[in-house]
Amino acid sequence: MNYDETVRVLRERGQEHLLRFWDELSEDERRSLLAQIEAVDWDAADLGRHAERVACAKEPKPIKGVSLTEIARDRKAFCAVGEKAIREGKLAAVLLAGGQGTRLGSDAPKGAFDIGITHPLYIFECLINNLRAVTERVGCFVPLFIMTSEKNDAETKAFFEEHGRFGYPREYIRFFKQDMAPAADFDGKLLLEEKGRLALSPNGNGGWYSSLARAGILEEFPAVEWLNVFSVDNVLQRIADPVFLGATILSGSACGAKVVSKAEPHEKVGVLCLDGGLPAVVEYYELPEEMANARDGEGKLLYRHGVILNYLFQTKKLAQIADQRIPVHIVKKKVPFLDAQGKRVCPEEVNAYKFETLILDMIRLMGSCLPFEVVREHEFAPVKSRTGVDSVESARELLQRNGVEL
Ligand code: UTP
């Protein structure tokens, strides 16, 4: 879009202020600003005007998964199917590392955080060690696709190189960048971070597939039929787990989700259920009281499958749903911005909406999903903050309990 077209688009949307410092910009800055404005997803940004809450489950029903007991009984059969698929090159792993990790309070990529005590042990290193435990047993490597964002891409790549990719071969690692989304103030006006730059931040973890597909990485690995997508911050994450893969393949589902049994009704994890016959994840802050507290005949929580951001997605189905939109969630955050006089403001309180899509909303589109129960103490140690629940402290304790030397 040229300048005149951009002015027209902005005027239609009441966003002309984005060009208020135009006269002060260099040619390069002008070009860059026009490109950023052209890339804005206005459908998402317009939501800021009324801050709609994303609807939660309308017709919730519990979903049947494979329990720990069933997994123990069928372990051998699941494992054989999963290992065979891995040897045939049918599985790739996708590490979601595009987040900003604001709660951890470090500007570096979250995976570069050193969780060691007596020696360095980086989060990325923990994850690669977990993956290598499988690849060494199975006898072949699993391609690893790492999603970064504009904010941490260069640093993440440099970190991996600096550490010899923690022993993982270069030819099996690919990086791809997720998209950025603008932030808006509470009147829906997009914010500027600099005179020639919008305040942009990663657009949530729901855009991983479109970004991966756009990067053309899947074409390089045509045998891949399953993607094991996982978050950067669970240091006990079992990646490319053959038992999980085998169980999902044998179930005939297009998707699988590792779940832990919720410890209590209000635990802060999303809940996997059925909604109108389709699998769906209800976020903990959207979970109605009666759903949270409902119990079955044995007294167990009816909606107990807590998701831990470790999913299997069938690539065939992903390609079919690629064009479908997933809901945009609106989150209130503190976003530094330039005021009308061009002065940088670092707000003390939340001042803006960010627009994010979430991977958990893709589960419904997949049409079927197998909840696969895992032992929380062995597979779930998220690092969200420095101290307290889901923190560096709690993750260290769990790592040590699982025999990892810190
Ligand atoms: P979180 O929801 O914990 O967000 O991410 P975060 O950005 O890492 O941390 P806070 O909320 O700012 O403290 C869950 C997973 O999704 C990835 C994260 O890297 C993490 O693996 N993620 C999140 C992305 O890849 N992109 C995003 O835009 C957001």
Side-chain angles (χ1 to χ4, degrees), residues 74-87 242-243 246 250:
D74 297 333
R75 186 170 200 89
K76 258 190 162 167
F78 291 160
C79 192
V81 171
E83 288 194 352
K84 179 167 176 286
I86 293 174
R87 286 197 196 95
V243 183
L250 288 170

Side-chain angles (χ1 to χ4, degrees), residues 66 71 78-79 81-82 242-252 370 372:
V66 268
I71 294 166
F78 291 160
C79 192
V81 171
V243 183
F244 178 35
L245 177 60
T248 306
I249 293 174
L250 288 170
S251 76
L370 178 75
F372 178 93

Side-chain angles (χ1 to χ4, degrees), residues 20-243:
R20 75 162 50 109
F21 302 110
W22 184 258
D23 293 342
E24 299 174 46
L25 302 180
S26 68
E27 273 311 308
D28 276 355
E29 287 168 332
R30 287 178 173 182
R31 251 195 308 277
S32 156
L33 181 58
L34 292 186
Q36 288 168 52
I37 295 172
E38 186 168 4
V40 169
D41 175 353
W42 293 107
D43 286 346
D46 280 350
L47 286 176
R49 295 188 180 284
H50 30 89
E52 276 171 339
R53 202 168 148 274
V54 176
C56 67
K58 292 187 191 74
E59 296 169 56
K61 289 241 162 62
I63 187 170
K64 168 91 185 79
V66 268
S67 66
L68 290 174
T69 323
E70 289 162 324
I71 294 166
R73 189 192 63 206
D74 297 333
R75 186 170 200 89
K76 258 190 162 167
F78 291 160
C79 192
V81 171
E83 288 194 352
K84 179 167 176 286
I86 293 174
R87 286 197 196 95
E88 289 169 352
K90 291 186 178 164
L91 180 71
V94 180
L95 165 54
L96 302 180
Q100 290 183 287
T102 41
R103 282 169 286 175
L104 197 56
S106 150
D107 282 344
K110 206 174 196 177
F113 186 84
D114 179 4
I115 195 155
I117 298 173
T118 59
H119 62 94
L121 180 67
Y122 305 100
I123 290 182
F124 281 138
E125 185 177 8
C126 286
L127 298 175
I128 298 283
N129 288 347
N130 296 350
L131 175 58
R132 282 179 57 184
V134 174
T135 59
E136 277 162 23
R137 204 177 58 237
V138 176
C140 66
F141 287 102
V142 168
L144 173 63
F145 310 147
I146 302 175
M147 182 166 87
T148 61
S149 82
E150 203 60 58
K151 301 241 183 215
N152 67 15
D153 182 68
E155 231 184 309
T156 304
K157 286 178 178 158
F159 186 83
F160 266 85
E161 277 313 308
E162 208 179 298
H163 294 90
R165 300 167 305 285
F166 303 105
Y168 216 71
R170 179 174 281 117
E171 61 271 32
Y172 284 95
I173 299 185
R174 296 289 180 281
F175 292 90
F176 66 103
K177 275 195 254 180
Q178 71 174 95
D179 292 335
M180 304 291 276
D185 68 15
F186 295 152
D187 296 322
K189 302 273 183 204
L190 298 194
L191 296 173
L192 285 171
E193 183 175 76
E194 285 175 19
K195 291 184 175 173
R197 205 162 72 212
L198 304 186
L200 296 173
S201 50
N203 65 347
N205 58 26
W208 69 272
Y209 179 68
S210 53
S211 302
L212 177 69
R214 194 162 354 103
I217 291 171
L218 289 170
E219 277 98 74
E220 286 186 65
F221 297 90
V224 169
E225 292 180 8
W226 291 92
L227 295 172
N228 180 202
V229 186
F230 62 99
S231 68
V232 70
D233 46 30
N234 175 7
V235 285
L236 284 181
Q237 191 87 258
R238 305 316 302 174
I239 307 154
D241 176 351
V243 183

Side-chain angles (χ1 to χ4, degrees), residues 12 161 176 228 267 357 398:
E12 274 168 19
E161 277 313 308
F176 66 103
N228 180 202
E267 186 181 352
T357 58
L398 282 162

